[in-house]
Amino acid sequence: MTFTELKKKDIICIGDGRLLGRAADLVFDPRDGHITALIVGTGSGLTCLFHGEKNQVEIAWQHIACIGDDVILISPGGCC
């Protein structure tokens, strides 16, 4: 799977079914190259359009329960 494919998926919290956003970036451990976190862009609406601002949330990779065809599911402990 490529990052382009990953960032098209909605990110959903399993605990309450809330849409968290979509993948904006990944965080890598520089020592071994493993992915340590997923950065989720949560900004939307006119604020982003006019000011270019996006709220971002970092979700630890171990909180990703499943990466499916259309969504990424986050365990309740990883949801903000």
Side-chain angles (χ1 to χ4, degrees), residues 31-61:
R31 294 168 291 174
D32 60 16
H34 285 99
I35 299 170
T36 60
L38 180 66
I39 304 293
V40 179
T42 60
S44 63
L46 294 177
T47 301
C48 282
L49 180 64
F50 292 117
H51 300 289
E53 296 174 6
K54 272 195 171 181
N55 295 324
Q56 294 184 334
V57 175
E58 187 171 315
I59 297 175
W61 194 255

